[in-house]
Amino acid sequence: MTPSSSQRLAAAMQSCGLVAILRGVKPDEVVPIGLALSEAGFRTIEVPLNSPEPLASIRALRDALPAEVLIGAGTVIRPEDCAAVAAAGGQIVVMPHSDAAVIRAAKAAGMACTPGVATLTEAYAALAAGADALKLFPAEALAPPVLKAWRAVLRPPVALLPVGGITPEGIAAYAAAGASGFGLGSALYKPGDSAAGVARQAAAFMQAWRQSYPAS
């Protein structure tokens, strides 16, 4: 039986809960960066839709990387964008907000969906609409004590992923509070970074991940 989008995301997160956010990446540079991340152990890569030619980058990554690496789109704010992401080979829709219409469109297109939430009200509404995981955004405003309080009422297997300002040094505190994974932005990749530079940053994040999640 073919795994569902939810099952594929859960498997990827169990292997490595670090999500690479390649905001600003270009199609002609994305494959070496994606390969570096895959070789480091990353299993989820996101290309935000406000990047140059994001659908071309999503297609290039999907064609080049192993099947166990999931490719998705970030900064998806319109329901109509979901079908285009799926057609490009995308498997995950990541949102900065919690719009039920986008969540439903992503699920209808056969993709997993991780909406952004900043309150428990938004979190429960997103789950009711079909969200597969929750992006705690911005993480700068949702410190580990907040996540710990959320975790008391949002029990596993609900996945909680802080996103925004995450560094290798910050992972341990969130892990202790109950984080399931993390979205990694400019501390991992920023426009103009080389694949070699991304590989170095990825290694630092992977070391922090393995120290905080030794069972993964």
Side-chain angles (χ1 to χ4, degrees):
M1 182 180 295
T2 301
S4 68
S5 59
S6 298
Q7 290 170 330
R8 290 195 299 268
L9 179 59
M13 290 290 299
Q14 185 170 8
S15 175
C16 175
L18 302 177
V19 179
I21 303 171
L22 303 183
R23 188 179 308 279
V25 74
K26 298 177 182 178
D28 62 357
E29 62 189 0
V30 74
V31 169
I33 292 170
L35 289 170
L37 290 166
S38 174
E39 290 167 6
F42 279 64
R43 292 296 174 261
T44 312
I45 300 175
E46 162 195 338
V47 179
L49 290 187
N50 56 358
S51 303
E53 300 182 74
L55 298 179
S57 290
I58 290 169
R59 171 49 64 191
L61 288 170
R62 182 63 285 151
D63 289 346
L65 298 187
E68 64 266 23
V69 180
L70 301 185
I71 310 301
T75 318
V76 181
I77 59 175
R78 304 184 306 170
E80 56 266 33
D81 289 331
C82 293
V85 171
Q91 299 155 289
I92 310 166
V93 160
V94 182
M95 306 155 55
H97 62 332
S98 182
D99 184 337
V102 178
I103 298 170
R104 289 193 293 266
K107 301 302 293 183
M111 295 182 289
C113 186
T114 304
V117 298
T119 68
L120 280 173
T121 299
E122 292 175 343
Y124 279 106
L127 292 170
D132 296 286
L134 298 176
K135 167 183 171 178
L136 276 62
F137 180 77
E140 293 93 335
L142 298 164
V146 177
L147 191 155
K148 184 177 180 180
W150 283 35
R151 191 46 99 188
V153 293
L154 290 169
R155 298 286 187 178
V158 175
L160 302 178
L161 290 82
V163 180
I166 301 298
T167 64
E169 296 75 20
I171 283 179
Y174 277 108
S180 309
F182 303 86
L184 310 178
S186 59
L188 175 67
Y189 168 82
K190 56 185 179 298
D193 284 355
S194 67
V198 172
R200 288 191 294 271
Q201 296 293 351
F205 274 109
M206 286 300 300
Q207 181 179 7
W209 170 261
R210 290 173 178 139
Q211 289 173 344
S212 295
Y213 299 85
S216 295

